[in-house]
Amino acid sequence: MSVTAAAALRIEPFKVACSSCNLRELCLPVGMSGAQLDRLDELVALRRSVPRGEPLFRAGDVFQSLYAVRTGFFKTCVASEDGREQVTGFQMAGEVLGLDGIGTERHTCDAVALEDSQVCAMPFHQLEDLTRELPDLQRHFHKIMSREIVREHGVMLLLGSMRAEERLAAFLLNLTQRLRARGFSATSLVLRMTREEIGSYLGLKLETVSRAFSKFQDDGVLEVKQRAITVLEPERLQQLVGQARC
Amino acid sequence: MSVTAAAALRIEPFKVACSSCNLRELCLPVGMSGAQLDRLDELVALRRSVPRGEPLFRAGDVFQSLYAVRTGFFKTCVASEDGREQVTGFQMAGEVLGLDGIGTERHTCDAVALEDSQVCAMPFHQLEDLTRELPDLQRHFHKIMSREIVREHGVMLLLGSMRAEERLAAFLLNLTQRLRARGFSATSLVLRMTREEIGSYLGLKLETVSRAFSKFQDDGVLEVKQRAITVLEPERLQQLVGQARC
DNA sequence: CGCGAGCTTGATGCCGATCAATGCATGTGG
DNA sequence: CCACATGCATTGATCGGCATCAAGCTCGCG
């Protein structure tokens, strides 16, 4: 589908429904009953397509909705005044985007599609209203926010105390785990992001990321063909992450 | 009343009440009316004292309550299996502890008092119930979680792309801002944490933190006497943080 | 007073940044 | 179909910032 055709279909003609979505075990509706799902369906009325390279939202944009990734892949990144940029996360199907905007009513980071993607938009104030009626939904929403905080703790640990190869190993293990949870192979994957984006996320330069990939390949831990990665020895990646520094 | 509540009241005979707390403009009750505050007062029935060096909770503990710091100072830290530790934050009066535990029903980090401290415990399930009745409280609670996410984005930027002196400058500016919001001097402060804890938070070794302090002192930006810091030229700290890398 | 925890300061070395060149895949126009 | 441009990745050489190792120093406290 061309970019312009995708734009024309910005409001999808198909009925968007959590109740019939194959991501409902990963997304916001986890653990909700049929009647509850119907209520959520009313809320999630809008599906949006985001072509590769385009932002779903930008820092400074007024915050209105949370977004659940339906298909595709995103990165979120923050920037300081002087232009330094930091990728703060990568999001795949079933994951939620936009939590950063709740605090200030404006988004504080950019969310950019790394491939042609679709999201479900959930107007936040309506979602808040609904969570007051549906305790299960409220509970789950709070868990999603809390887990994001815990995930970021993990990234801080990585950035604060791991060496380059350990960081990349942790990153790859995290990716494969999330892919496996979505029914994909845990051993072969195609990276959606560049070496530079991986580096930004891991606090490394792209050359260092590239060297680490090559090292892993030389050691027989991975097979690397540009962005196509095959994990040959996952347990050695695991070792690397759990290893003491020096 | 539970045994533990009775114990706490023996230590602390005063009625704990958000409505009469001088932190109500910084803490959970921000922007709430008198009637709403009364409801919150019912919830926050328990005050707990935590002596310096003692944990308020530990990773693995069952999650039951959020805690608002009333007096004192805390650090939170996560550890990986191999013993690496990362300080993920420092919390002062009016700030909330325990958000990490919501996702898994267990705490995922340690919260340790850096000086003799007091916290208000808020049983989380009761808080959730109350937020369903008080939209203002719900809104504010969501903002607190979101701001924690945004704060961590900032730390990721710091850890991923700043050099040692920039990190320390950013840290000091953040501390002084928060102290000023509490009515303290923005120029003179006493650090509650060791060089090692600062280093852990900033992804540096304690020697590097110490050298950066000395450098700032030599440059006339700070006066450093062990943990007593005087900021002589805040604008130069600000410069440092906003500066491009090389 | 002497001990110990925490802090400072110096010397050295290493990891990853930087600079630079080359390789490789994709796309575009002649 | 080839020539060429472009974006991304790899690889090598060099450099620099921070970690590491190792003494001293300061201050509070029993």
Side-chain angles (χ1 to χ4, degrees), chain A residues 186-243:
Chain A
T187 56
S188 103
L189 63 154
V190 176
L191 300 174
R192 254 65 245 214
M193 68 295 278
T194 66
R195 301 288 190 261
E196 188 169 17
E197 286 160 341
I198 297 173
S200 173
Y201 183 60
L202 299 179
L204 302 169
K205 292 288 136 181
L206 69 95
E207 295 96 327
T208 305
V209 174
S210 182
R211 277 184 243 271
F213 270 124
S214 299
K215 178 71 161 30
F216 284 156
Q217 181 158 242
D218 292 348
D219 293 355
V221 180
L222 297 181
E223 190 180 311
V224 183
K225 284 181 184 161
Q226 304 280 121
R227 298 197 184 179
I229 309 291
T230 308
V231 181
L232 302 173
E233 306 197 28
E235 59 284 355
R236 281 172 69 191
L237 286 182
Q238 193 69 63
Q239 263 184 3
L240 216 50
V241 172
Q243 235 169 37

Side-chain angles (χ1 to χ4, degrees), chain A residues 39 61 63 89 133 170 178-179 208 241:
Chain A
R39 299 295 309 276
D61 288 356
F63 167 73
E133 295 176 43
R178 286 154 69 199
L179 287 170
T208 305
V241 172

Side-chain angles (χ1 to χ4, degrees), chain B residues 162-165 203-205 207-209 211 226 246:
Chain B
M162 287 185 178
R163 43 222 347 295
E165 286 173 26
L204 302 169
K205 292 288 135 179
E207 295 95 328
T208 305
V209 174
R211 276 183 243 271
Q226 304 282 118
C246 296

Side-chain angles (χ1 to χ4, degrees), chain B residues 11 38 52-53 63 124 212 246:
Chain B
I11 298 167
D38 290 344
R52 172 189 166 131
F63 167 73
F124 181 64
C246 296

Side-chain angles (χ1 to χ4, degrees), chain B residues 79-131:
Chain B
S80 56
E81 307 91 55
D82 56 324
R84 258 181 290 215
E85 222 183 61
Q86 172 78 24
V87 172
T88 57
F90 298 106
Q91 295 78 21
M92 55 179 74
E95 296 177 335
V96 176
L97 283 159
L99 298 174
D100 60 286
I102 299 171
T104 55
E105 316 266 355
R106 286 185 179 271
H107 286 288
T108 61
C109 64
D110 298 350
V112 178
L114 295 182
E115 58 183 3
D116 291 351
S117 303
Q118 290 185 342
V119 298
C120 300
M122 303 173 283
F124 181 64
H125 292 334
Q126 291 177 42
L127 180 63
E128 269 188 330
D129 292 345
L130 192 57
T131 61

